[in-house]
Amino acid sequence: MTGFPIEVASRIKTLPPYLFAAIDKMKQAAIARGVDIINLGIGDPDLPTPAPIIDSLAEAARLPKHHQYPSYEGMLTFRQAVADWYHRRFSVKLDAANEVLTLIGSKEGIGHIHLAFVNPGDIVLVPSPGYPVYPVGTAFSGGLSHIMPLTRTNGFLPDLDAIPKDVAKKAKLMWLNSPNNPTSVVMTKEYFKRVVEFAYEHRIIVCHDAAYSEIFYDGKRPASFMEVDGAKEVGVEFHSLSKTYNMTGWRLGFVVGNRDVLAGLGKVKSNLDSGVFEAVQAAGITALGLDDTVTNHIRRIYQERRDTLVPGLKSIGLEVETPPAAFYIWVTVPNGHTSASFTAHLLEQAGIVTTPGNGFGAPGEGYVRMTVCTSKDRLAEAIERMKKLAM
Ligand SMILES: Cc1ncc(COP(=O)(O)O)c(C=O)c1O
């Protein structure tokens, strides 16, 4: 039998080109040449999951009651642990049964929520540069992204006044992300208050992505969107155990807030997935119940790394802000370079992998993103290598 051409759906065909492919290719070629690569491209903690969480999984995995399908919305005990954590961390009260939903990592919920609320042709307000799942989830549901550019001029915050009135009127959903990937910028409660007013005025569902809320520096804890009056009436907040507890591989996250929004997302989920392995949720309960010494320790390590990389980059004349949170450094490329050429230059001449800023959306052109998911010694080595380069 001869085959026939397999044609993908237009939603796949119209995906933006994968801008990281070229850098991946160059990285593989450098590795094949035997180059000692320093990877400042990955946004994945290199530290292990804390031992009590692993112990808890091992114990819970042995219990036959955890071997069956979990409930699609998550174990009530896990959702109660989320509510307790929220109260401890943000002084926000949540009803575990209706205002918390378990996710298979926050990416899963971020991608799927569009299916619940966005009709073909609806507008979704999307910050750019930003996490690519916001525009892709929008496109998969037939929606149209309206880009909110994050630039130095607007402090890398979406300028609500710059959104045309007719766009705001038609918008169904708005994405925000603080602490931000890739800029690391943090939104204040004052900013969130303006967002709530804007959302009320235009009847827009706010989806705040707080995946990095626990990676912060100098003891300055980022606010939750839910801390602001009226937030629960207009939106939801996505969280993840991935970055907070070095659990990216475990796939455990959650979303909290407006019960009607959660019910819509829950309906999509109940038709597409079957929830999170209960032993993983049991380990999640342990994680959320850990005292601050564990997360303080993780933060201290990232802070030491940040305080190695940022002054090092400044000392070689690169323009960079000191991030208040998250593990990303948003670096302006030197004059004469583009995001792509500077990324290639660092890789080919110094064996350093970074991510081109335009890979996060066109307004990211002119920047590269570096991460501190690499040991302090390797970061110091990266600086030494960069010092020898002509910028
Ligand atoms: C901004 C942002 N949100 C959400 C996620 C998804 O994290 P997870 O699915 O592991 O919870 C990531 C992962 O890199 C991210 O950068």
Side-chain angles (χ1 to χ4, degrees), residues 105-107 110 131 134 177 181 209 211-212 240 242-243 251:
S106 63
K107 183 179 188 179
I110 291 169
Y131 188 48
Y134 315 141
N177 171 214
N181 175 16
D209 177 356
Y212 296 94
S240 175
S242 289
K243 324 285 169 159
R251 311 315 302 136

Side-chain angles (χ1 to χ4, degrees), residues 229-312:
D229 277 350
K232 215 192 270 182
E233 277 71 53
V234 298
V236 294
E237 183 159 79
F238 290 84
H239 271 275
S240 175
L241 277 77
S242 289
K243 324 285 169 159
T244 310
Y245 302 106
N246 307 325
M247 291 174 74
T248 47
W250 295 57
R251 311 315 302 136
L252 184 58
F254 52 91
V255 54
V256 307
N258 187 284
R259 61 180 67 205
D260 297 330
V261 175
L262 297 194
L265 173 59
K267 195 150 194 179
V268 172
K269 282 177 59 59
S270 62
N271 282 282
L272 286 181
D273 70 61
S274 298
V276 175
F277 181 26
E278 289 196 343
V280 169
Q281 293 186 65
I285 295 172
T286 302
L288 292 168
L290 290 173
D291 69 46
D292 280 357
T293 49
V294 175
T295 39
N296 283 341
H297 173 70
I298 294 169
R299 285 189 277 268
R300 216 167 18 247
I301 293 173
Y302 287 132
Q303 179 151 344
E304 268 179 31
R305 294 172 177 185
R306 178 200 70 163
D307 294 344
T308 301
L309 187 58
V310 171

Side-chain angles (χ1 to χ4, degrees), residues 190-229:
E190 285 61 41
Y191 185 84
F192 283 145
K193 277 183 197 158
R194 278 194 281 134
V195 169
V196 169
E197 282 164 22
F198 181 83
Y200 260 114
E201 185 183 343
H202 301 289
R203 297 172 178 267
I204 297 172
I205 299 169
V206 177
C207 293
H208 179 236
D209 177 356
Y212 296 94
S213 74
E214 304 317 296
I215 311 296
F216 57 81
Y217 304 119
D218 306 313
K220 292 189 184 131
R221 294 168 174 264
S224 158
F225 179 60
M226 289 297 138
E227 286 180 64
V228 171
D229 277 350

